[in-house]
């Protein structure tokens, strides 16, 4: 699904430049759960922005579903991003004055899904995160954990090929964080590809594989030896 080869991203600073990514290479197969981890300044946010078509690399190549990012116009990138990718953010990025239904509907407003088909898709997505009873509640009235679960429902509503989760537990207490990670785990078991960016080792270990970045380079690409055990420990 994702093929990254010798990926580079430089940011100009006057007459010089800084390398945020310096020759990163890896692949992610359909149905994998992969974590990207690293300290502040390691390049993980830059990498996520490129993987999710929010930025372009300055060198190397990135192929998504068989097509290179350099082959697509900005309009094509936007269309693929809306149809094939779902996003979960640390700060939820929900419109608090709107209902849960209206928030989850937002990606469908930019799609070719007929209006008459939207209600079922929205209901199914909200049911998948266990909050059907909140469907018509104003989003501002939800707890932090519930807001993040609705953000996951919004990410799911277009049935994307991959879900990018950027520090999804960063603003949550441990119990709510465990619920959110449990939902991502269940989605992965149902076949969804998950790419998780985090600075927390115990959250990263929910994945089957961890990419460790340092100073813009891929330092390690290792399988999680026992992700099930890590998950069980987190839920205790």
């Amino acid at each position: 699904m994702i093929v990254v080869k010798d990926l580079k991203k430089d940011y100009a600073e006057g007459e010089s430049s800084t390398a945020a990514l310096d020759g990163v290479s890896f692949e992610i197969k359909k149905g994998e759960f992969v974590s990207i981890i690293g300290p502040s300044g390691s390049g993980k946010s830059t990498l996520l922005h490129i993987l999710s078509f929010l930025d372009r690399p300055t060198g190397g190549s990135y192929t998504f579903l068989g097509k290179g990012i350099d082959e697509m116009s900005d309009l094509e990138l936007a269309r693929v991003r809306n149809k094939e990718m779902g996003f979960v953010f640390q700060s939820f990025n929900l419109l608090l004055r709107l209902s849960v239904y209206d928030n989850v509907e937002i990606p469908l407003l930019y799609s070719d899904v007929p209006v008459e088909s939207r209600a079922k898709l929205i209901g199914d997505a909200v049911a998948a995160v266990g909050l059907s009873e909140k469907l018509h509640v104003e989003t501002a009235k939800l707890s932090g954990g519930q807001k993040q679960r609705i953000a996951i429902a919004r990410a799911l509503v277009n049935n994307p090929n991959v879900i990018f989760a950027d520090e999804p537990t960063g603003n949550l207490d441990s119990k709510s964080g465990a619920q959110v990670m449990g939902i991502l785990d269940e989605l992965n078991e149902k076949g969804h590809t998950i790419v998780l960016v985090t600075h927390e080792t115990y959250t990263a270990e929910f994945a089957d594989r961890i990419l460790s970045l340092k100073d813009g380079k891929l330092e390690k690409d290792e399988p999680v030896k026992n992700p099930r055990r890590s998950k069980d420990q987190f839920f205790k």
Side-chain angles (χ1 to χ4, degrees):
M1 175 180 290
I2 290 173
V3 180
V4 170
K5 293 183 179 179
D6 196 29
L7 200 69
K8 297 180 181 180
K9 180 64 179 182
D10 297 326
Y11 290 104
E13 295 181 353
E15 296 182 358
S16 62
S17 64
T18 299
L21 294 174
D22 188 11
V24 174
S25 299
F26 60 88
E27 296 184 9
I28 296 176
K29 297 178 181 178
K30 183 174 177 59
E32 276 196 285
F33 191 152
V34 176
S35 290
I36 300 171
I37 194 168
S40 178
S42 63
K44 61 183 186 295
S45 294
T46 300
L47 178 58
L48 179 67
H49 289 162
I50 292 173
L51 293 180
S52 58
F53 291 175
L54 296 175
D55 200 358
R56 292 180 182 266
T58 51
S61 66
Y62 168 31
T63 302
F64 179 75
L65 292 175
K67 193 167 184 179
I69 188 172
D70 291 335
E71 301 173 40
M72 291 183 270
S73 66
D74 289 344
L75 181 58
E76 286 178 299
L77 292 179
R79 287 173 176 167
V80 173
R81 186 166 58 240
N82 185 63
K83 184 178 180 180
E84 306 290 353
M85 300 175 177
F87 301 91
V88 182
F89 305 96
Q90 178 177 349
S91 56
F92 318 138
N93 287 10
L94 298 171
L95 299 177
L96 299 183
R97 293 186 178 182
L98 296 183
S99 69
V100 165
Y101 183 101
D102 290 338
N103 268 283
V104 176
E105 184 184 25
I106 289 173
L108 299 177
L109 300 178
Y110 303 93
S111 73
D112 55 5
V113 175
V115 173
E116 59 271 17
S117 301
R118 292 177 186 172
K120 184 178 188 313
L121 292 174
I122 294 166
D124 289 348
V126 175
V129 299
L131 288 174
S132 293
E133 74 280 4
K134 303 293 185 181
L135 187 61
H136 297 292
V137 171
E138 184 179 299
T139 306
K141 297 179 180 180
L142 303 181
S143 67
Q146 289 172 333
K147 288 185 176 100
Q148 194 61 293
R149 287 157 68 185
I150 294 306
I152 294 172
R154 181 185 58 192
L156 275 177
V157 74
N158 264 341
N159 193 30
N161 265 297
V162 59
I163 295 174
F164 293 106
D166 187 6
E167 302 279 5
T169 64
N171 285 336
L172 304 178
D173 58 44
S174 58
K175 182 179 179 180
S176 297
Q179 291 175 333
V180 166
M181 292 308 302
I183 289 171
L184 291 176
D185 179 44
E186 289 174 5
L187 293 175
N188 177 244
E189 290 181 350
K190 292 177 180 177
H192 290 276
T193 306
I194 310 290
V195 178
L196 169 73
V197 171
T198 182
H199 67 279
E200 301 168 332
T201 300
Y202 58 83
T203 303
E205 288 177 347
F206 270 69
D208 301 307
R209 180 171 147 227
I210 297 177
L211 307 179
S212 300
L213 296 180
K214 184 177 181 181
D215 298 328
K217 296 181 182 292
L218 182 59
E219 191 175 46
K220 295 179 183 178
D221 180 352
E222 298 178 326
V224 178
K225 293 182 179 179
N226 196 335
R228 290 295 176 187
R229 181 180 301 169
S230 299
K231 295 166 190 173
D232 290 344
Q233 289 173 348
F234 191 31
F235 278 108
K236 285 181 179 180

